[in-house]
Amino acid sequence: MDHLGLDDFTRSIHYISNTIQENKGYLTKLDSFIGDGDHGSTIARGFTKVVEKIRKDKPESIAELLKDTGFTLVTSMGGASGPLFGTFFTEMSKEAEGKDVIGLRDFYAMISNALAKISRLGGAKPGDKTMIDSLGPAVKSLGVSLDKGQGIDRALKNMSIASKRGAASTKDMIAKKGRSRYHGKRSIGYQDAGATTIYLIINAIYKSISQKGKNEKINK
Ligand code: ADP
Ligand code: MG
């Protein structure tokens, strides 16, 4: 597989939504240790609305699909993280504008854009114990894969592994942004909820694309 099309991205959005619903309790638990315990329910609500929206609108391009997803997350999630998760998709959408298919180089540009915009918007740096800490390593890994000339499957797999490690690494960090920063050093020992969600999203993209057609539950 050299390119990703609208079908691939549509399958990814459904897969992400299912993954988020399945992990809702876990994400809320993570957010309750050092946050206000709403993350699982807000992100799950957001993706329920996303699926409703795309079922109704039936986007005709990758850019439109990602834009619909981002806008719906912003409007339905609210809070501090809604605009940040929404930005992840709306920024990817901008780079996908006018493209029927997405190659690895395009995907790298899309996800790099998302990281840059989220960093600007939220002001978090690597090591601040936020979603940046699982998104940053994913982007970096994709860049390495591109340089090495790896195929999309392999690149997405490596991206997922890097993101998982990044999410796990937040356990040892002191929170500097968001509500968890109020816990200071007491935030050590807990994995960041938002970083975990970004990993789940990235892993879902990898799984939905590499296991094309194998997951019958995707459209449940
Ligand atoms: P809220 O803090 O409004 O309750 P959520 O619980 O939905 O929002 O999300 C919390 C997550 O948002 C955190 O775990 C962290 O990953 C992410 N986050 C919070 N502030 C920032 C920021 N400034 N930059 C990047 N990510 C952030
Ligand atoms: Mg919260």
Side-chain angles (χ1 to χ4, degrees):
M1 187 197 341
D2 297 330
H3 290 94
L4 307 174
L6 177 59
D7 280 4
D8 293 303
F9 281 96
T10 306
R11 217 172 43 252
S12 286
I13 299 295
H14 285 286
Y15 203 118
I16 293 168
S17 179
N18 288 344
T19 302
I20 296 294
Q21 312 304 334
E22 279 161 18
N23 288 283
K24 180 175 155 179
Y26 171 56
L27 294 170
T28 283
K29 196 171 117 191
L30 291 180
D31 190 41
S32 66
F33 293 134
I34 48 173
D36 57 353
D38 66 342
H39 184 62
S41 44
T42 47
I43 191 90
R45 183 176 68 230
F47 274 100
T48 299
K49 295 282 177 200
V50 166
V51 168
E52 282 172 19
K53 172 88 174 156
I54 62 174
R55 283 210 169 114
K56 188 165 137 278
D57 282 8
K58 300 186 176 49
E60 285 176 2
S61 70
I62 297 168
E64 199 189 324
L65 171 77
L66 296 173
K67 195 157 69 185
D68 262 8
T69 302
F71 283 164
T72 307
L73 289 180
V74 174
T75 51
S76 61
M77 283 180 68
S81 74
L84 298 172
F85 283 103
T87 294
F88 179 76
F89 293 96
T90 50
E91 279 307 301
M92 288 212 286
S93 149
K94 287 182 193 166
E95 195 62 40
E97 203 68 59
K99 293 180 179 130
D100 290 334
V101 290
I102 298 294
L104 192 54
R105 189 168 295 282
D106 302 315
F107 191 62
Y108 175 67
M110 285 161 70
I111 200 158
S112 299
N113 268 6
L115 171 65
K117 190 67 186 276
I118 292 172
S119 305
R120 266 206 309 281
L121 205 64
K125 293 184 184 58
D128 284 352
K129 200 177 180 104
T130 71
M131 59 179 78
I132 295 290
D133 294 306
S134 56
L135 183 54
V139 172
K140 195 171 166 194
S141 165
L142 214 53
V144 170
S145 293
L146 199 58
D147 288 345
K148 286 186 179 167
Q150 285 173 359
I152 288 188
D153 263 354
R154 176 90 185 275
L156 295 185
K157 183 176 186 180
N158 289 342
M159 174 181 78
S160 169
I161 293 168
S163 179
K164 185 176 190 172
R165 281 201 196 113
S169 76
T170 62
K171 253 190 166 183
D172 302 325
M173 296 173 184
I174 299 174
K176 303 270 171 51
K177 290 280 171 192
R179 291 175 200 279
S180 48
R181 75 181 188 280
Y182 301 121
H183 292 264
K185 281 188 181 159
R186 277 174 296 146
S187 63
I188 294 175
Y190 301 104
Q191 185 165 316
D192 179 64
T196 308
T197 294
I198 287 286
Y199 157 65
L200 290 173
I201 290 174
I202 282 173
N203 188 51
I205 294 173
Y206 156 57
K207 292 276 178 178
S208 60
I209 286 167
S210 73
Q211 295 175 1
K212 207 168 188 161
K214 284 187 201 157
N215 189 332
E216 285 119 33
K217 284 189 193 156
I218 288 170
N219 271 312
K220 75 180 174 191

